[in-house]
Amino acid sequence: MIGFENFVNCDDEHYLKTLDGLRSLVSDIQRQSIFSENEELKEIATENLKLLMAPYYEADVLFRIMDKRHERVKMSFMFYIEYLRMLNHYGVLTPDQVKTWKLWLKK
């Protein structure tokens, strides 16, 4: 079985295509206002819950791209922080995770 962690086609060209697809997905999510700052987790339609993972996958793909390494890692960190911010907004993080996330923000 081939999956995300099997690293078939793990060159920058394929990662950049995946990143373009993720950016398109995030644009669609924003354009359609799938998530709202004033809603709670229980108000999100079940079929849309998986879309909360988009910033995580952007970060993960960026972290795998080897060109412009410093820039990619920095952007990856920003997407991870955005993902954690969203999870915190929906009350998914534990108090320890919130504490660690806030420490990262200070860096």
Side-chain angles (χ1 to χ4, degrees), residues 13-80:
E13 176 188 347
H14 288 92
Y15 287 136
L16 290 169
K17 279 185 181 178
T18 301
L19 192 58
D20 285 342
L22 286 166
R23 287 183 176 148
S24 177
L25 173 64
V26 169
S27 291
D28 289 345
I29 291 168
Q30 290 171 343
R31 188 174 47 257
Q32 295 176 28
S33 300
I34 292 176
F35 304 114
S36 172
E37 287 289 324
N38 60 359
E39 71 184 346
E40 295 180 21
L41 188 61
K42 64 183 176 185
E43 296 174 285
I44 298 174
T46 303
E47 66 271 10
N48 292 335
L49 285 173
K50 61 187 170 229
L51 298 175
L52 289 172
M53 296 286 296
Y56 170 83
Y57 285 121
E58 283 182 294
D60 191 66
V61 171
L62 276 165
F63 193 73
R64 294 169 191 263
I65 299 172
M66 293 296 131
D67 77 332
K68 304 176 194 169
R69 191 72 182 136
H70 184 271
E71 179 184 324
R72 303 287 186 186
V73 169
K74 192 174 180 179
M75 285 182 64
S76 178
F77 179 79
M78 291 185 330
F79 280 109
Y80 280 128

